[in-house]
Amino acid sequence: MMKDPDAFRRVAAAIALFAWPVLEFLAFLTSPPGAEHDPAVFRTNATAVQVSALLYIWAALSLIPVVLALGHLLRRRAPVTSGIATAAGLIGAGLGLTLFTTDFYDLALAQTLPDAQAEAVTQQANSLPGFVYGMLLPGFALHLALLTLLVSLAKVKSVPWWVPAAALAGTLVPFLTMDQAPVVQSTGALLHLAAYGWIGRRVLRMTDAEWRSGVPGARHLTLV
């Protein structure tokens, strides 16, 4: 397979489509309780904070080939949408990698400063214009880009409509359950696994010729 670039890219894309929701699920599952970065909670769960942060970073990293794979599948049938959404998605995924490193700094602050000072530093950093407008808000472009790519794939009948619906629900669940236990928040990733895993399975079953063209054969369009 290493000598066949098409096969390698296809399999790598499929692996990423499965890996991203699995890593997301594990990241939520291992995260400390609470919606805020409470210094006391971070100190008590120092190992979990680091494990969860690393899993979030690897999940964001795996989104890069996911975005590229979705854009590749659309590049012939919706080239403009594919190009714009892929670019936005890559920017969002890249920013996600930097955003999740802040957990390590919040943990270090919690371990070295009184709680009030640690919270003050975190609040000040999170309110800086460069962080808010240069990192945080543009990072949300990832969600919009992924939804755009999935809806476009449904419009050209490459995936069923339940796929973008499940992906959207999976994205909303963590925001709607922020004050609940991590195990509850992690259920959103299971919806992502259903949606992106469906595409990953289809990509694995594509021929190299279908992958090169970005257009699946008829046998793939009828998969449910």
Side-chain angles (χ1 to χ4, degrees), residues 91-111:
I91 292 172
L95 289 172
L97 288 169
T98 63
L99 289 171
F100 290 118
T101 61
T102 60
D103 284 355
F104 293 101
Y105 292 94
D106 287 341
L107 176 59
L109 290 171
Q111 292 175 331

Side-chain angles (χ1 to χ4, degrees), residues 54-178:
L54 285 171
L55 287 167
Y56 276 124
I57 289 171
W58 279 98
L61 183 63
S62 67
L63 275 168
I64 294 174
V66 166
V67 171
L68 290 172
L70 298 180
H72 173 83
L73 292 173
L74 276 171
R75 78 186 197 282
R76 291 184 183 273
R77 304 183 73 177
V80 175
T81 299
S82 171
I84 295 174
T86 298
L90 292 175
I91 292 172
L95 289 172
L97 288 169
T98 63
L99 289 171
F100 290 118
T101 61
T102 60
D103 284 355
F104 293 101
Y105 292 94
D106 287 341
L107 176 59
L109 290 171
Q111 292 175 331
T112 57
L113 294 177
D115 288 3
Q117 292 184 20
E119 290 177 347
V121 171
T122 297
Q123 291 175 2
Q124 176 64 20
N126 290 345
S127 65
L128 293 173
F131 176 81
V132 174
Y133 300 108
M135 294 174 61
L136 183 62
L137 294 181
F140 282 97
L142 172 65
H143 300 303
L144 181 59
L146 287 172
L147 184 60
T148 299
L149 290 168
L150 291 174
V151 168
S152 298
L153 283 169
K155 288 179 66 176
V156 300
K157 299 181 179 180
S158 287
V159 304
W161 277 102
W162 70 261
V163 169
L168 176 60
T171 299
L172 293 176
V173 165
F175 293 102
L176 298 175
T177 60
M178 290 180 64

Side-chain angles (χ1 to χ4, degrees), residues 37-61:
H37 289 190
D38 183 274
V41 173
F42 267 45
R43 278 196 306 275
T44 304
N45 301 275
T47 300
V49 168
Q50 295 179 73
V51 170
S52 179
L54 285 171
L55 287 167
Y56 276 124
I57 289 171
W58 279 98
L61 183 63

